[in-house]
Amino acid sequence: ETGVTQTPRHLVMGMTNKKSLKCEQHLGHNAMYWYKQSAKKPLELMFVYSLEERVENNSVPSRFSPECPNSSHLFLHLHTLQPEDSALYLCASSQDVGGREAFFGQGTRLTVV
Amino acid sequence: QKEVEQNSGPLSVPEGAIASLNCTYSDRGSQSFFWYRQYSGKSPELIMSIYSNGDKEDGRFTAQLNKASQYVSLLIRDSQPSDSATYLCAVTDSGTYKYIFGTGTRLKVLA
C-alpha cells in the first residue's frame, strides 16, 4: 500500500456539480497539504493542516472547501468550479509542517467542463 | 515573494553522461532543500533531500548545497533514458516552514 493515496485518479465534472477528492496517508504524519498543479506553473499551495487544524488557506476561492476529520484523512470538496480550475490536484503529507520531506499522492486529474 | 528559480529546459544529455540540474532560491533563511522527480502525468517523487552545505550522494544522484550563494544542484551520473522527467526543486520558507517549489527542469536523456 502506498504511503499517500488519492481518489479518484481522474474526475470530469460540470460547472454545477459537487464532488469531493479524498486523500489518505499511512505514514503517521501530522501535516497534510493540498496543492494545485497547472501547466507551466509552480505547484500552488492551497491548504495546510497540522494535526487536523487548518494552518494555511492561501486565498483559495470558496468553491474549494477542505476538510480534515483526522490526521490520516483529507478531503477537498468542490462546488461550482470554473474551467480554469482544471488541473492536477495533489495531496501531500509530512511529519510536521515544513522542515522534513513531503510525500505526494498520485494526484487527481480534474477536468471541469 | 519568495521564489525558487529553475531553467525550464529541456536539458538534453546523451545516455551515460552526467546531467546537471540547477536551482536558486531567494529566501536566505531556508533550511531544507529537496529534489523531486515528476514523470509526465504523474505526481512528484522525492529523490533527494539536503540540509547542510556540501554534497550528499545517494546512488547515481548527488545533491550539492551552497547556502552562501543560495544555490542547490542535482547531479545524475550515468544518465539513463528512464531518468527523462521533470525535476522539481523545493525549499522550505524560513518564516512559515512551507515548501516553495520551482517550475521544474525537463530532462531528456537520449539513447
Side-chain angles (χ1 to χ4, degrees):
Chain A
E1 195 169 279
T2 57
V4 182
T5 305
Q6 286 186 246
T7 55
R9 297 292 303 277
H10 300 273
L11 178 62
V12 179
M13 60 186 289
M15 289 189 282
T16 58
N17 291 158
K18 290 184 182 180
K19 296 286 184 183
S20 295
L21 309 184
K22 179 183 175 182
C23 176
E24 182 175 2
Q25 59 97 0
H26 308 276
L27 301 170
H29 288 168
N30 296 320
M32 296 186 77
Y33 310 79
W34 279 117
Y35 283 91
K36 175 184 178 183
Q37 189 175 37
S38 304
K40 310 289 186 189
K41 290 186 178 180
L43 283 163
E44 298 175 52
L45 179 64
M46 301 176 72
F47 302 104
V48 181
Y49 277 83
S50 177
L51 295 170
E52 303 138 50
E53 180 180 340
R54 191 191 309 180
V55 296
E56 183 75 25
N57 177 352
N58 258 7
S59 302
V60 178
S62 59
R63 57 186 183 268
F64 296 92
S65 174
E67 178 189 2
C68 187
N70 55 62
S71 59
S72 298
H73 292 85
L74 186 64
F75 295 89
L76 187 62
H77 304 300
L78 314 173
H79 177 50
T80 59
L81 295 192
Q82 305 298 309
E84 60 265 28
D85 296 323
S86 299
L88 181 66
Y89 288 84
L90 292 160
C91 173
S93 72
S94 63
Q95 185 59 55
D96 296 291
V97 174
R100 295 288 164 175
E101 302 90 345
F103 296 90
F104 286 87
Q106 307 95 318
T108 295
R109 173 67 63 184
L110 173 68
T111 303
V112 181
V113 297
Chain B
Q1 176 97 5
K2 295 173 182 175
E3 294 182 334
V4 174
E5 300 280 349
Q6 294 182 257
N7 188 318
S8 60
L11 171 66
S12 295
V13 299
E15 184 175 359
I18 296 175
S20 178
L21 305 164
N22 304 313
C23 169
T24 58
Y25 58 94
S26 62
D27 183 358
R28 184 167 289 279
S30 292
Q31 295 295 318
S32 303
F33 307 86
F34 311 96
W35 283 100
Y36 288 84
R37 177 176 63 200
Q38 187 172 25
Y39 293 112
S40 180
K42 304 294 184 183
S43 63
E45 173 193 8
L46 179 72
I47 53 172
M48 289 288 285
S49 57
I50 187 166
Y51 305 101
S52 54
N53 277 330
D55 294 0
K56 179 182 178 183
E57 186 174 320
D58 184 1
R60 295 187 295 115
F61 299 98
T62 299
Q64 300 175 316
L65 175 61
N66 184 326
K67 290 185 180 180
S69 300
Q70 295 176 236
Y71 177 94
V72 58
S73 64
L74 179 71
L75 301 179
I76 307 175
R77 288 182 299 282
D78 188 24
S79 296
Q80 301 297 309
S82 58
D83 294 326
S84 298
T86 296
Y87 288 80
L88 304 175
C89 174
V91 309
T92 50
D93 180 310
S94 61
T96 65
Y97 298 102
K98 293 183 296 184
Y99 305 98
I100 307 170
F101 285 85
T103 53
T105 298
R106 190 156 65 96
L107 173 67
K108 296 174 74 172
V109 180
L110 308 172

